[in-house]
Amino acid sequence: MKPTRPADIYLRFLQLTEALRGLPTLPELDPLEERILALVARARQANLRLSVRDMMAKDQLGSPATVHNRLKSMREKGWIMLTDTEDTRRKQVDLTPAALLHFDKLSQCMLNATGA
């Protein structure tokens, strides 16, 4: 049955994404890691390069030590990867193929929720 109101579509999307959480995929992220993931994904979409230093300089994410610890955790969980730049002392933060696959699955949930 096709949802009749925008709220129905959104609630169906939430239901579908909740089902994704039950599947064996990447480990869950805490709220700060979710924010960092969204920031990295938006930068990637805009073809911007974010370095570890860039991320640590973002005051809205907390102290540099907190950000560094979360980046390390996200890397260990398989959400992000650090790649070399022209300056070997700087590392670029990017999404892993597994994280991109997760976004693909979320997109499919969105399409399914709308009945497309």
Side-chain angles (χ1 to χ4, degrees):
M1 180 175 164
K2 194 168 187 173
T4 57
R5 299 180 354 205
D8 293 332
I9 294 170
Y10 180 70
L11 293 172
R12 177 75 177 134
F13 170 71
L14 289 179
Q15 182 182 29
L16 291 168
T17 59
E18 191 61 35
L20 274 183
R21 293 176 199 260
L23 298 175
T25 58
L26 294 169
E28 287 192 37
L29 300 173
D30 68 31
L32 179 56
E33 291 171 339
E34 290 274 358
R35 287 179 58 201
I36 291 171
L37 183 69
L39 183 66
V40 172
R42 285 191 307 269
R44 188 179 203 282
Q45 185 70 22
N47 292 320
L48 299 175
R49 296 176 60 176
L50 289 175
S51 69
V52 171
R53 184 179 295 173
D54 296 333
M55 297 296 292
M56 290 172 52
K58 296 195 177 295
D59 293 333
Q60 73 269 24
L61 298 177
S63 72
T66 298
V67 174
H68 188 269
N69 286 336
R70 289 308 198 291
L71 291 174
K72 180 180 176 188
S73 169
M74 292 173 72
R75 187 173 171 210
E76 290 169 355
K77 291 177 181 179
W79 286 95
I80 62 168
M81 60 185 169
L82 304 180
T83 57
D84 290 329
T85 63
E86 304 82 35
D87 181 349
T88 57
R89 296 169 295 170
R90 293 176 60 108
K91 300 289 183 188
Q92 180 180 338
V93 181
D94 202 357
L95 301 175
T96 63
L100 291 169
L101 181 60
H102 175 76
F103 283 118
D104 288 344
K105 289 177 183 176
L106 286 176
S107 296
Q108 188 59 52
C109 287
M110 196 177 307
L111 292 172
N112 291 345
T114 62

